[in-house]
Amino acid sequence: MEDEIELKTAPADFRFPTTNQTRHCFTRYIEFHRCTTAKGEASNDCERFAKYYRALCPGEWVEKWNEQRESGTFPGPL
Amino acid sequence: MDLSEMKKYRTGLRQQPRSLPQPPLTESRSLGTGARTTTPNVTHPPPTYRLGGTSEIQLRTRIVHGTTIEILRTIFPSIISMFIAIQSFALLYSMDEVVVDPAITIKAIGHQWYQTYEYSDYNSSDEKSLTFDSYMILEEDLELGQSRLLEVDNRVVVPAKTHLRIIVTSADVPHSWAVPSSGVKCDVVPGRLNQISILVQREGVYYGQCSEICGNNHAFTRAPGNIGRLLSHSGSAAPPGVQATREASYYSERLEL
């Protein structure tokens, strides 16, 4: 029986049509954290935002932002 | 024949002011030496040079200004250029737009002087990520049949015939991620994520080199050695797509002659 291989990643966002995807990554990260703030940490609705930002953003950036959030110095509208 | 008659046969340009009468050639002015002097002609229109006469060759020219035609010949090419530019810019910007949703995202992070690749589409948390470094194989470490200055220790494995999104960035200085055989070159800037869309048509190995001067070993930084692999699920022992990527990322092929 063949397994259906399904590849999924962050879809192309019409808000960010150009080559520069920096804001796309940043926006997805903020969307995830605003979603968890609004709906709670355990909510599954926010998981897709998490997949998107993990797909787009380098791991180093995510680590840095997580540290900034914990120290309260994150420069974004969470 | 006296001097005045001889001077009539003189060839060449002969300046004749329009309004002032031609002074006799032999007239001397205040110098009293017999030399001919001319009055500075600053208040009169430019002299004309006439071509004609029986015994003297005189040249006539007139300096004219065609304002209308000059305006037309400036504006008309500008309009043509504008028509060409509008089409050209529309094509240029539409080339960058992603029309099809990609199936997989691969991040390439440039360092001095190696690449780091991340496959994090299937991460369940921020920590876990399939990440590996890709260094160029030095000449002394090459195996028989491998290409000099092109081979890397860990190749990037990508599925063929699949829309890929490659996100490139840098951890230190600007680099450039280029794979000529895939028609790809993208500058890599620290602090910025640049997106490239690729569709690898055929299976095979695609080599690339860093294309932006990035220091001492810029010539030895490899962009990929990509392997296009079909994610095939038709074979019975074929693993699911994620696992194929996971194990193939550490695959280094031994070339057999």
Side-chain angles (χ1 to χ4, degrees):
Chain A
M1 186 161 159
E2 297 174 358
D3 286 336
E4 190 69 29
I5 297 177
E6 197 184 353
L7 296 176
K8 266 190 184 173
T9 187
D13 194 339
F14 71 94
R15 296 173 294 175
F16 310 99
T18 55
T19 305
N20 189 0
Q21 296 288 295
T22 317
R23 296 302 294 187
H24 188 186
C25 148
F26 190 64
T27 303
R28 292 295 191 198
Y29 183 83
I30 288 176
E31 280 174 353
F32 170 71
H33 287 284
R34 289 172 93 168
C35 177
T36 51
T37 308
K39 297 190 178 177
E41 295 277 342
S43 170
N44 286 335
D45 298 335
C46 306
E47 195 53 34
R48 66 189 184 99
F49 292 120
K51 284 189 178 299
Y52 294 165
Y53 86 74
R54 284 174 195 144
L56 291 168
C57 305
E60 291 170 353
W61 291 23
V62 174
E63 285 169 15
K64 190 180 76 177
W65 289 337
N66 288 341
E67 287 167 13
Q68 286 179 337
R69 270 191 315 112
E70 282 158 19
S71 65
T73 55
F74 183 72
L78 285 176
Chain B
M1 187 185 298
D2 61 357
L3 187 62
S4 62
E5 283 184 4
M6 284 172 65
K7 284 183 181 173
K8 285 184 191 173
Y9 290 93
R10 187 179 61 183
T11 59
L13 293 176
R14 182 119 166 237
Q15 188 168 352
Q16 292 191 356
R18 277 192 192 135
S19 56
L20 286 182
Q22 177 73 19
L25 293 176
T26 54
E27 184 186 278
S28 64
R29 303 282 175 98
S30 57
L31 290 181
T33 58
R36 178 168 176 263
T37 60
T38 55
T39 312
N41 201 8
V42 292
T43 57
H44 299 287
T48 60
Y49 298 88
R50 286 182 310 161
L51 182 65
T54 54
S55 59
E56 293 177 339
I57 298 175
Q58 291 167 324
L59 212 60
R60 167 181 283 209
T61 60
R62 235 167 35 120
I63 299 170
V64 295
H65 299 280
T67 310
T68 313
I69 193 168
E70 283 176 7
I71 291 172
L72 282 176
R73 77 175 182 201
T74 305
I75 291 178
F76 188 58
S78 309
I79 294 172
I80 294 176
S81 297
M82 199 171 63
F83 275 116
I84 297 171
I86 288 171
Q87 305 295 330
S88 178
F89 274 105
L91 177 65
L92 184 68
Y93 284 105
S94 68
M95 273 166 58
D96 278 341
E97 286 182 10
V98 177
V99 184
V100 180
D101 277 343
I104 185 170
T105 301
I106 298 168
K107 279 166 280 186
I109 297 151
H111 298 263
Q112 284 177 313
W113 289 280
Y114 62 97
Q115 299 280 336
T116 302
Y117 296 98
E118 284 185 27
Y119 296 68
S120 42
D121 284 335
Y122 302 96
N123 280 8
S124 53
S125 73
D126 285 349
E127 280 76 35
K128 288 184 202 164
S129 184
L130 174 59
T131 308
F132 59 92
D133 293 338
S134 180
Y135 283 83
M136 190 193 77
I137 295 179
L138 297 174
E139 206 166 331
E140 50 263 23
D141 298 331
L142 284 174
E143 296 177 7
L144 197 61
Q146 286 186 314
S147 305
R148 191 181 80 94
L149 299 182
L150 287 177
E151 301 288 348
V152 292
D153 51 1
N154 299 317
R155 290 173 172 171
V156 183
V157 184
V158 299
K161 296 187 178 22
T162 314
H163 291 280
L164 309 174
R165 176 203 271 133
I166 312 272
I167 301 266
V168 291
T169 186
S170 170
D172 37 44
V173 298
H175 300 267
S176 184
W177 198 86
V179 186
S181 41
S182 296
V184 164
K185 181 175 287 186
C186 188
D187 278 1
V188 168
V189 179
R192 177 178 165 124
L193 299 179
N194 281 335
Q195 170 183 278
I196 313 161
S197 298
I198 305 182
L199 180 71
V200 178
Q201 304 277 7
R202 290 182 291 185
E203 294 180 39
V205 185
Y206 301 82
Y207 296 101
Q209 295 171 301
C210 180
S211 300
E212 179 74 29
I213 185 81
C214 54
N216 238 358
N217 288 348
H218 154 71
F220 309 110
T221 309
R222 290 297 151 259
N226 270 355
I227 299 182
R229 285 278 176 81
L230 269 177
L231 279 189
S232 162
H233 51 85
S234 57
S236 58
V242 175
Q243 287 182 10
T245 306
R246 211 176 271 271
E247 62 188 335
S249 65
Y250 292 93
Y251 178 85
S252 66
E253 188 176 6
R254 187 190 183 92
L255 288 173
E256 294 171 9
L257 294 177

